[in-house]
Amino acid sequence: MNTPIIVQYTINAPAEKVWKALTDKNEMKSWYFDIQDFVLETGKIFNFFEPGGENKYHHQAEILEIIPNQKLKHTWSYPDFSSLKTTVTWELLPEGDRTVVKLNHEGIENFEDLGEAFSRESFTGGWNSILGQSLKEYLEK
C-alpha cells in the first residue's frame, strides 16, 4: 500500500524552540526518548529503547538530512527483528510564534510481518501521543 503515516500538530512555540527540543538529546529525554548516542550530524547512527526499562525494542536510526529549524530526516528500524528500515521526516513550518510540526513516517509496511506492536495503528497512535501530547505539552508549559 505504501501510504505514509502523517501526523501534524500546531505547537505554541517558535520553530527554533521546537528544533532544539527535537535535536538536543538533553531536551529529548524530557518528552521523547533518552538517546545517549544522538549526534546531530548527517550519517550518524543513534540507538534507543522504549521508556520503562524493559528494553524490548531496540530502535536504531541513521540521520539522512538536516535543515536547521526546518527538517530532520532519519531512518527508523528494529535491528533485532528485521533488516528492513522505514523513514521518519520531521518538518517545522513556522507561523509566527507558533510552529506546525509535521511528521511523515514512510515505509511502515516493511514492519507488517512483525506483529501488532509494529502495526500502522500502533505507530499512528504512538506518533499522535508523542507529538500531540508529549512534545506539545513539553514546549507549551
Side-chain angles (χ1 to χ4, degrees), residues 47-95:
N47 300 271
F48 58 98
F49 290 90
E50 70 284 355
E54 290 184 42
N55 291 354
K56 288 193 296 189
Y57 302 114
H58 171 205
H59 301 66
Q60 189 172 75
E62 178 182 353
I63 298 176
L64 302 174
E65 184 179 2
I66 301 166
I67 302 174
N69 299 317
Q70 293 178 38
K71 184 185 209 181
L72 175 64
K73 183 175 185 176
H74 59 79
T75 62
W76 182 281
S77 65
Y78 298 95
D80 297 343
F81 296 98
S82 173
S83 62
L84 299 175
K85 297 178 181 178
T86 61
T87 304
V88 174
T89 304
W90 302 80
E91 288 184 90
L92 307 185
L93 308 164
E95 292 184 349

